[in-house]
Amino acid sequence: SDKIKLTKQSIGSLPAPEKGNKITYDTDVTGFGIRITKAGAKSFILRYRFENRDRLYTIGTCFPSALVGPNI
């Protein structure tokens, strides 16, 4: 998995993988990332540890309209 600063521009330019899905993590917020499926669907995720087990929580879908507004 890659790490980049997640901004509207960087999220919008992330390509879909050829198969399966790919998670790209944010460089500023530990465990926060975006999962992109082969079909191009993007979802925000959070990886965390609970009782010595890694967990992956899907926060929600990244809609294109969520990327409109002031630059972050």
Side-chain angles (χ1 to χ4, degrees):
S1 59
D2 298 333
K3 277 189 165 186
I4 62 170
K5 182 171 176 66
L6 292 179
T7 63
K8 286 187 292 186
Q9 288 82 11
S10 66
I11 291 171
S13 67
L14 289 171
E18 290 184 22
K19 60 181 180 176
N21 60 56
K22 180 178 181 184
I23 297 175
T24 302
Y25 290 98
D26 187 39
T27 55
D28 293 339
V29 181
T30 303
F32 181 73
I34 188 160
R35 178 178 52 223
I36 306 173
T37 66
K38 178 182 177 182
K42 297 177 182 179
S43 298
F44 292 109
I45 59 97
L46 180 68
R47 182 177 295 277
Y48 64 98
R49 182 175 284 280
F50 181 72
E51 296 181 351
N52 285 333
R53 300 181 98 179
D54 278 336
R55 305 284 183 172
L56 190 71
Y57 178 76
T58 302
I59 297 169
T61 303
C62 175
F63 294 103
S65 61
L67 302 178
V68 175
N71 291 335
I72 55 171

